Amino acid sequence: MIAGFEYHPEYLTREEQENLLTEIREMIKSNHLFQPSMPKTDKPFSVAMTSFGSLGWVSDKAGGYRYQSFHPVTKRPWLPIPDKLLSIWSDLTGYTEPPECCLLNYYQNEKAKMGLHRDQDEQDFNAPVLSVSLGDSALFRLGGLKRQGPTTSTKLNSGDIVILGGEARNAYHGIDRILYGSSQLLKNGGRINLTLRRVNKA
DNA sequence: AAGTAGCG
DNA sequence: ACCG
């Protein structure tokens, strides 16, 4: 296991998860989910996305992977990151500067997954990446700094938090599978992952 | 390029 | 078919 991987199982209580979800559901009404697609090939992701914060992560054929200050469909600025998430960032990372991006990945069905990749569209690799899981459980795979090499698998349940810091900040990782129907938190099923990141250097 | 396919 |  690469250094800098932190797993905090059951960090959020059921009530905290429900409160966070209620807030997010309201935000998504105007800060809509959209379907990103791959650079060059235009192939769609199996997950739907949106972001909160001063910068959001987007991808499409025309522009490639990037951060931008506005929603790609509505062209409006992203809504602010919920205070609860800022508190979690502060409490768990101890990182002085607040996250600029909260990327929301919605794994809507049993086919949704995220291939092995590294988060490398940011300028500040000293800051950790923090992820909150809500809803159905997922199989999370973590490798090393090269695409080839040994990996470990961790089942992430609703309310769990993962931090990729230190060496693990730049490690390959992905979601192999959603254990669809394993949680009742989301009434329509599926999994929501919230990822907090610094983008620019402090 | 965070995609898919294909292999053992 | 599933898994790594």
Side-chain angles (χ1 to χ4, degrees), chain A residues 14 106-111 134-138 155-158 177-192:
Chain A
R14 172 77 185 205
Y106 179 38
Y107 298 78
Q108 185 161 15
N109 57 54
E110 58 267 44
K111 297 294 183 186
L134 294 175
D136 287 336
S137 301
K155 187 166 95 169
L156 301 182
N157 301 314
S158 192
R177 197 156 75 86
I178 300 299
L179 305 178
Y180 197 78
S182 53
S183 163
Q184 302 307 314
L185 186 73
L186 279 67
K187 291 183 179 60
N188 291 328
R191 171 178 189 259
I192 288 174

Side-chain angles (χ1 to χ4, degrees), chain A residues 39 58-66:
Chain A
V58 301
S59 175
D60 53 41
K61 186 180 183 182
Y65 296 170
R66 65 199 185 275

Side-chain angles (χ1 to χ4, degrees), chain A residues 37-43 61:
Chain A
S37 59
M38 292 291 288
K40 300 178 185 173
T41 65
D42 207 28
K43 292 202 174 189
K61 186 180 183 182

Side-chain angles (χ1 to χ4, degrees), chain A residues 53-116:
Chain A
S54 58
L55 292 168
W57 189 85
V58 301
S59 175
D60 53 41
K61 186 180 183 182
Y65 296 170
R66 65 199 185 275
Y67 283 95
Q68 64 183 38
S69 61
F70 58 93
H71 191 287
V73 177
T74 67
K75 313 301 184 191
R76 293 195 298 262
W78 310 99
L79 292 177
I81 299 174
D83 285 343
K84 176 70 177 177
L85 292 172
L86 296 177
S87 298
I88 292 170
W89 170 272
S90 176
D91 292 345
L92 277 182
T93 72
Y95 201 80
T96 313
E97 300 298 321
E100 293 158 296
C101 176
C102 173
L103 176 62
L104 187 160
N105 289 327
Y106 179 38
Y107 298 78
Q108 185 161 15
N109 57 54
E110 58 267 44
K111 297 294 183 186
K113 53 188 181 294
M114 182 74 72
L116 213 57

